Amino acid sequence: MNTVEDFPDVKYATDDGLLALGGDLSPQRLMTAYRKGIFPWYHAGQPILWWSPDPRCVLFPAQYKPQRSLKKSIKKQRFVFSLDQTFEEVINNCAAPRTNSAGTWITEDMKDAYIDLHHLGYAHSIETWKDDQLVGGLYGIALSGMFFGESMFSQTSDASKAALNFLISHLTTWNFQLIDCQITSPHLLNLGAVEIPRTEFLERLGCALTHVGKPGSWKNIPVEPQ
């Protein structure tokens, strides 16, 4: 691909969702991709791979109900949460090697690209703190009434789940329509995510992009105790 308009129609994606390869991770191309329901996902040494899977894994903020055990854990752990305070630290933790994982898809180029988007007010982090230490969090992209979840990490029990719960409470207040979870996993389904056809996802994405959302940095948004 040579220009940001070069993405093919998502109907040409392979059965596993691969749509295109190449291009770059410029803010313009990334924003074009997300608005079309396309995202990058690749490993070091590969060309940039662009995906639009069918079905699509999503969370509906208005329908989200945290498990009772999570509520008890959040209360017991006495977590403190913040928005956009340590984006680079969050993405670095998300990129760190995981147990039973041979590597990470969050390459140095990916980190640099999303840090640029953070400075532009599109990429956001949610941080979970305990005893003044960062113990979990997540990051993603906010466009109008849509949040595209990218990755999460946890260094103590339920810290990433608590960050997601905190995020969803705010997205619901801000009238966000949908959270894109991208690739289905048992972990996401356990958190309340569901699969929907790509056609439905794109329709809902189009609707969400007509909403105001919460543009710009979230750093100075008041945070209520959970």
Side-chain angles (χ1 to χ4, degrees), residues 116-181:
D116 286 345
L117 290 179
H118 173 65
H119 292 320
L120 292 171
Y122 293 113
H124 303 281
S125 59
I126 292 79
E127 300 93 14
T128 305
W129 306 84
K130 186 177 181 182
D131 300 328
D132 296 323
Q133 298 294 316
L134 181 67
V135 294
L138 62 88
Y139 76 95
I141 303 294
L143 282 177
S144 302
M146 187 82 174
F147 189 87
F148 301 86
E150 287 297 320
S151 186
M152 58 175 60
F153 81 98
S154 184
Q155 295 178 348
T156 192
S157 179
D158 291 332
S160 60
K161 294 179 183 179
L164 178 63
N165 181 76
F166 176 79
L167 169 66
I168 291 176
S169 69
H170 282 72
L171 296 184
T172 303
T173 300
W174 299 335
N175 198 31
F176 273 63
Q177 303 299 294
L178 201 62
I179 298 174
D180 176 26
C181 302

Side-chain angles (χ1 to χ4, degrees), residues 39-58:
F39 60 88
W41 184 40
Y42 67 103
H43 293 277
Q46 292 180 318
I48 300 172
L49 304 178
W50 301 91
W51 303 80
S52 181
D54 186 12
R56 192 79 165 222
C57 187
V58 300

